[in-house]
Amino acid sequence: MKFSEQWLREWVSPALATQALADQITMAGLEVDAIEPVAAAFDGVVVAEVVAKAPHPDADKLNVCQVEDASGERVQVVCGAPNVAEGQKVPFARVGAVLPGDFKIKKAKLRGVESRGMICSASELGLEEEASAGILVLPADAPVGEDVRAYLGLDDHTIEVDLTPNRGDCLSVKGLAREVGVLNRLPVEGPAIAPVAPVHDETFPVRVEDAAGCPRYLGRLIKGVDVTAETPLWMVERLRRGGIRAIDPVVDVTNYVMLELGQPLHAFDRGNLNGAVVVRQAREGERLVLLDGQEVTLSDGTLIIADERAPLAIAGVMGGEHSGVGPETRDIFLEAAHFSPLAVAGQARSYGLHTDASHRFERGVDPALAREAAERATALLLEIVGGEPGPLVEVADVDRLPGDREVLLRRARLDQALDKALPGDEVAEILERLGLAVDAVADGWHARVPSWRFDLAIEEDLIEEVARIHGYNRLPVRRPAARLALKPDHEASTPLSRLRRQMVARGYFEAVTYSFVAPELQQALLPEAVSPTLANPISSDLSVMRASLFPGLIRALQHNLNRQQTRVRLFETGLVFRGELDGLHQVPMLGALACGPRSPEGWAGGKEPVDFFDLKGDLESLLALGGELEAWRFEPAEHPALHPGQCARVLYRGEEAGWIGTLHPAVRSRLGLKVDAVLCEVRLDALVQGRVPAFTPLSRYPEVRRDLAFLVDDDRPVQALLDTVHARAGEWLVEARLFDVYQGKGVPEGRKSVALGLTWQHPSRTLNDEEINHLVDAIVEESRQHLGAELRA
């Protein structure tokens, strides 16, 4: 919310400097984000009148003007603006003036004609960011000779406040003035708003079919308006300082009242309305062209304003293009309505919109404000565009409007929460200054909440208000007493922080991605995945909950590759979401992705690309942290996102715990990736499990090693051979290491040579050859019978 400090001070003006006022607002819970001057620094610019204009004798696009600036003589100025004319009041920079950008005005000759000064445009005075099309024309009653900064009130500041969602009542100058008045014990005096007397009795019919979404709707027909009139400069300036661009006088008035009072309004062209105005829910397939030119297909559940023929606007969000006010408009229908926050919440974002109106209605607008805003807007419209107002028609369902709320604030609970006993008179005064009607009762105060404070519903809300207005900095400071007992260290589990450090040590960077992903990306990687779809997503490409960490890691990979990062190592920990909402499983996972060269670029490093076994080695380094690497298994399997020949299911104690593999070529092509990537994903609850480390005494006796080369079928996993070795090698086997896999000359086709190095060691004696040979024979025989393995000659 942006507002002009001068505008606020017209309502309430405490004896505080700008920064002190901003600090006070911030300490009250309305954080000030920025304070900026409303115009750049300049001086020497006064109001002047163009009293004569003649074409330049030597330039088609220049004019020689005579201006009167109250200096006692006419001043000749050469001006190239197409809209300069006799009789205009204009900002005139005298010789010696300094404009924004330290631009000094000097005497000059333009095509041989002397020019002593400059008639300025809005952009040249720093009032517009883009170059103005012509000079700034001031109102006809502007006093000649007055300093332009003083006349336009440019020694002002725009204050931007970042409001929390519960303080929608402060999304207006009136609401902020109320807060400042409360904080400084000052009365708040806004403009007098009196009912506008109708001059004709013509009305336009209104029908509300969804009273829950729109419990109050007011409308007024204003005939004979002149939409070609100019919006007054004072209003244009206040809109600009509130962050809103002036468009046309009717729209400007509705925006002005919204900034002033907090009530969004809308004006329809009466000539484009058919039958009656109807407030209803959209029907499936209805379409609407919005004011910004975007055409949307309305969905069921969208509250709309329509006539008897077609939709006119999305209620509380944006009007339609065909029913809006245009140059040909002569009669307008002014709308002021109260829409339920639940009816409007999320509707704007579902259509990719965010408007000032939706921002306010989603947070709650005072249901008693619509009539006051309609009367204020009518008076301003009559002043600017003229016209004949009709009676203000209201359709309301009192039972659907927010009712009175009464809250009990107990003295004991207040003292306990604040750790301070405030005088009862001060507590009652604070609540009354906030607009609550307060009655003292035996154990505290009984308060009736005003209609504009949607956020006050329970006792804790009133406690917060008392603390806020009394001053958080005036509450006592107490340091909590706590027993700082040491937390037990579960040696059998591996902390998540250690897993992260291990991945960083292996050359990976931790990624933090959204828990929401694009549905088409998740469909490409996990076509059968089921996860919740968001009803109110941040954006269309973040509309489903992730069923795997793969989509987020792939999106991060694309982001890096698009920025010429050819070697990417990423890991992430987080929840994945599987199933529908009523049976949702949230599973903590650790995922990793590697792409590009195996080693960083260097004179001694090669350019071999990373492969399945590189990532498998990194994953095994994590598995080994738990101290029971033998509990993990990798078995060939198929996953829709992974290459069918380079994919493995990860098992922990016989149960599926994750997946590892190379990205499927078809998926890679569909995603537009030109390089291979390897990915893995493992359940965190399995990764952190392990066993308590135990010391094993070192043997003083020599090791015995035997190297065995087996011929096995080439589709036989090596793990099956290792399992057989561990089953038949006896209790003294200390290591079984795979050191060679070979296919080629000397090995029959369809077979492969697997070489294992087996090491035995006894803790209390030296093993002899007979014992070792017996164990080797048992291994060979078991491998032959169950695996079809033969010793290679």
Side-chain angles (χ1 to χ4, degrees), residues 741-762:
V741 177
Y742 171 73
Q743 286 180 285
K745 185 177 180 181
V747 175
E749 189 172 349
R751 305 275 277 179
K752 62 184 175 183
S753 171
V754 178
L756 304 176
L758 310 180
T759 303
W760 287 268
Q761 187 178 35
H762 199 284

Side-chain angles (χ1 to χ4, degrees), residues 200 202-203 219-223 270 331-333 388-391:
H200 64 82
E202 186 176 347
T203 62
R220 165 175 275 154
L221 189 62
I222 304 177
K223 301 170 65 176
R270 166 64 181 84
D331 304 330
I332 62 174
F333 178 73
E388 300 175 345

Side-chain angles (χ1 to χ4, degrees), residues 148-227:
V148 166
R149 292 195 70 88
Y151 175 70
L152 295 179
L154 297 181
D155 293 322
D156 184 15
H157 294 88
T158 292
I159 301 177
E160 184 173 0
V161 179
D162 185 11
L163 297 173
T164 51
N166 65 315
R167 293 309 305 272
D169 62 296
C170 290
L171 286 168
S172 65
V173 173
K174 179 181 180 179
L176 288 165
R178 243 182 341 234
E179 282 292 299
V180 174
V182 169
L183 294 170
N184 294 280
R185 291 183 167 87
L186 293 174
V188 177
E189 298 179 358
I193 301 176
V196 175
V199 298
H200 64 82
D201 58 2
E202 186 176 347
T203 62
F204 196 82
V206 174
R207 186 170 73 252
V208 177
E209 296 181 357
D210 187 353
C214 178
R216 171 169 284 153
Y217 189 96
L218 294 94
R220 165 175 275 154
L221 189 62
I222 304 177
K223 301 170 65 176
V225 299
D226 178 13
V227 295

Side-chain angles (χ1 to χ4, degrees), residues 345-347 349-350 532-538 543:
Q347 293 297 338
R349 283 189 292 276
S350 69
T533 299
L534 301 181
N536 185 19
I538 298 174
S543 60

Side-chain angles (χ1 to χ4, degrees), residues 225 227 247-252 254 265-274 277 288-293 305-307 309-314 318-335:
V225 299
V227 295
I247 298 173
D248 64 56
V250 175
V251 174
D252 293 344
T254 59
L265 304 166
H266 188 67
F268 297 98
D269 185 338
R270 166 64 181 84
N272 293 328
L273 301 182
N274 295 275
V277 168
L288 175 65
V289 179
L290 300 171
L291 284 172
D292 62 359
I305 311 299
D307 59 14
R309 186 177 63 182
L312 303 174
I314 301 177
M318 185 179 287
E321 183 179 57
H322 301 307
S323 62
V325 175
E328 306 300 321
T329 301
R330 292 294 174 266
D331 304 330
I332 62 174
F333 178 73
L334 180 65
E335 167 196 280

